[in-house]
Amino acid sequence: MKKIIITLVGVIAMISGVYFFLHSRENNSQELADGDKLRVVTTNSILEDMVHNVGKDRIELYSIVKRGTDPHEYEPQPTDVSETVEANVIFHNGLNLETGGNGWFKKLVKTSHKSFDEDVFSASKTVVPKHLTTNVNEEDPHAWLDLANGIKYVQVITKVLKDKDKKNASFYQANADKYIAKLEKLHKTAQSKYLGIPESQRLLVTSEGAFKYFSAAYHVTPAYIWEINTEAQGTPEQMQSVLAKIRKTDVKHLFVESSVSPKSMEKVSKETGIGIYSKIFTDSLAKKGTDGDAYYSMMKWNIDHIYDGLAK
Amino acid sequence: MTSLVEFFNALGKYDFLQIALLTAVMVGIMSGIIGSFIILRGMSLMGDAISHAVLPGVAVAYMLGINILIGASIFGVLAALLIGFVAARSKIKTDTSIGVVFSAFYALGFILISMAESSTNLHHILFGNILAVSDSDIMTTAVVLGIVILFVVIFYKELLVTSFDATYAKTYGLNVQVIHYTLMLVLTLVTVSALQTVGIILVVAMLITPAATAFLWTDKLDVMLVLSAVVGVVSSITGLYFSYTFNWASGPAIVIVAALLFAISFVFSPKQNFFKLQRSVAK
């Protein structure tokens, strides 16, 4: 009996010890000291490239999800967490990209004691969201595939950087103006590019339904096997519906995304006898040094390859 | 050596590391203790089975809007009961019964989840990452650890006898069934709470590997319990150190360290007698 009482006391002491430990912690918000570079963390390589184009060498930049990895679902590594703790500003895509799925980003923000809109910002804040068709309450995250939205991302990023690091404000603004002009030019050419292809051929077939924004901006019709990477991929029903859509049109080629397994699309290609033209980029940039390793070159790659694949 | 200093510096600086360490140590202790009983009873894969079988509970809890831990625990216990029932009432042995029941539960979970049409991926709700443990999850872990310690202290004699000799326990007048199912309930609590904090690989490994390592060194239950908890704690701390230094995923790093400790014990434990066995085989 005595042993049980001693254990009980020990157990209660342990639980209350843990409780007091949890409640004695302080919050750590990072203030920018003089002479220090602004530390910026982005969730994926596309945002990383945008921030790099605005901040250049006057910021320290770290990107969490590595190139070629799917940002919908990710498990942060120790460095990801410590970089986030140390960061002054954190950019994420928003629109459910990082907070859907296993919600890893929300947990990361909580673990590193940051707060949304104070030091964590959504780059898509000013974008008009499109919604999923299977679940209308949910936003489609892939807004950056429309360059007009990409420009909005850059504007949001620039405004935040200017606020957080006032002494470099004009530097950031000048970089952003130059970058936005470049993106705008590409956007203009893409808007009229596809109109020359007969409408019955203008069906953009991909694995994930990531091209809603792209399609609306550049006048193609999207078709996909599954709508978003977090849901079941390649069920019989999904296969049937994409095959039916393809058979109604004269589409010449299919496409597969760089960060998705090509298996399902290969099956569609076999069923229909239509070849896969090339890979295109959605959630991640290409490896450094290869074609498509920046937001601009990735969009250019997509626009050119999709055009060639649909026209030929 | 510098990396060791760096690790301790980081430990003082980042509270995500402190939390990860605290959680890993608590999970190490509770799964070391419960794991000892599990492997002595030849039910090593029970933890694996339960961690998969809770999936329908997660889906149902989500649909009804109740706490996921409650839904998961109910289905975990249900699976444990069913596994025991099938094994006791047929010629089928426990390992086969585990295979049938847990895969059926897991499949049911998948179908329920697709019916729930949730925006968040429910499979992942359960599978935590030790670097992102919420305060409420730590409190749950602390309470479950308390329950485990109390359970073992109060029912030590009963657990000892039923683990080694069930027939003797029955003649001795013990209700073997009640003790078995209480153990299953506690195992479910451990599994479900640890799933949320440390993820599935770590739960299964922490239930089996430290206990198996301790078993290589001793025949006494009380020594085994303490040793198993110690191995769990040492693996947690060392694994987290490797994870931080080399930027490995934390859960798998802890598992690898535990497996290394097992391998060392396998070769050097006097009880295991690896070298002597080799020699006699050679002859």
Side-chain angles (χ1 to χ4, degrees), chain A residues 25 75 79 86 101 113 138, chain B residues 13-15 119 129 135 247:
Chain A
R25 287 175 308 166
E75 284 302 337
T79 315
E86 299 281 347
H113 305 295
E138 214 175 303
Chain B
K13 194 159 136 204
Y14 300 124
D15 73 357
S119 61
N129 179 339
D135 287 8
N247 202 32

Side-chain angles (χ1 to χ4, degrees), chain B residues 246-263:
Chain B
F246 302 111
N247 202 32
W248 295 346
S250 304
I254 295 173
V255 175
I256 290 292
V257 172
L260 274 177
L261 289 177
F262 175 81

Side-chain angles (χ1 to χ4, degrees), chain A residues 29-209:
Chain A
S29 179
Q30 300 288 334
E31 286 299 314
L32 188 61
D34 271 349
D36 274 357
K37 280 184 183 176
L38 192 73
R39 294 184 74 146
V40 185
V41 166
T42 60
T43 51
N44 65 48
S45 49
I46 295 164
L47 294 174
E48 179 193 14
D49 183 61
M50 289 176 175
V51 174
H52 172 75
N53 271 294
V54 178
K56 304 260 177 177
D57 57 345
R58 300 208 184 165
I59 53 169
E60 294 273 356
L61 189 54
Y62 179 85
S63 173
I64 297 173
V65 181
K66 303 295 169 293
R67 287 165 189 248
T69 313
D70 178 7
H72 294 82
E73 271 153 32
Y74 180 74
E75 284 302 337
Q77 312 285 302
T79 315
D80 300 331
V81 190
S82 56
E83 287 286 342
T84 311
V85 171
E86 299 281 347
N88 306 104
V89 187
I90 297 136
F91 289 111
H92 68 121
N93 179 73
L95 302 175
N96 261 328
L97 180 67
E98 301 91 345
T99 45
N102 56 5
W104 63 270
F105 186 66
K106 245 187 236 160
K107 281 192 214 158
L108 178 65
V109 169
K110 214 174 151 204
T111 318
S112 48
H113 305 295
K114 303 286 175 186
S115 32
F116 285 93
D117 290 327
E118 246 171 73
D119 24 38
V120 181
F121 299 93
S122 153
S124 63
K125 211 162 61 184
T126 54
V127 167
V128 182
K130 291 187 186 301
H131 292 262
L132 300 184
T133 48
T134 47
N135 188 343
V136 284
N137 295 322
E138 214 175 303
E139 292 155 335
D140 186 324
H142 306 92
W144 65 88
L145 291 171
D146 171 1
L147 279 154
N149 287 334
I151 292 168
K152 286 183 183 163
Y153 279 31
V154 176
Q155 284 161 344
V156 170
I157 289 167
T158 312
K159 189 171 174 297
V160 172
L161 290 185
K162 279 163 69 184
D163 280 352
K164 289 275 172 178
D165 185 13
K166 296 204 169 64
K167 62 183 188 297
N168 285 320
S170 55
F171 175 76
Y172 297 144
Q173 190 61 56
N175 289 338
D177 289 344
K178 229 161 80 196
Y179 186 48
I180 287 171
K182 191 171 139 189
L183 296 177
E184 226 150 40
K185 214 174 129 202
L186 185 62
H187 181 59
K188 288 250 165 63
T189 45
Q191 271 179 315
S192 52
K193 192 162 183 145
Y194 294 93
L195 294 173
I197 304 173
E199 204 173 345
S200 64
Q201 267 171 258
R202 255 189 271 151
L203 186 73
L204 173 55
V205 187
T206 52
S207 318
E208 186 190 9

Side-chain angles (χ1 to χ4, degrees), chain B residues 10 107 158 192 229 240:
Chain B
E158 287 84 349
V192 173
L240 215 53

Side-chain angles (χ1 to χ4, degrees), chain A residues 257-276:
Chain A
E257 301 92 310
S258 62
S259 58
V260 163
S261 158
K263 266 193 202 147
S264 300
M265 193 47 81
E266 276 160 8
K267 211 161 159 202
V268 172
S269 168
K270 223 171 165 186
E271 285 283 325
T272 55
I274 301 172
I276 297 173

Side-chain angles (χ1 to χ4, degrees), chain B residues 22-49:
Chain B
L22 181 68
T23 315
V25 166
M26 290 198 295
V27 170
I29 296 172
M30 69 189 189
S31 45
I33 294 172
I34 287 302
S36 298
F37 293 111
I38 301 300
I39 73 156
L40 286 177
R41 287 161 176 250
M43 299 189 302
S44 299
L45 290 176
M46 206 64 188
D48 194 5

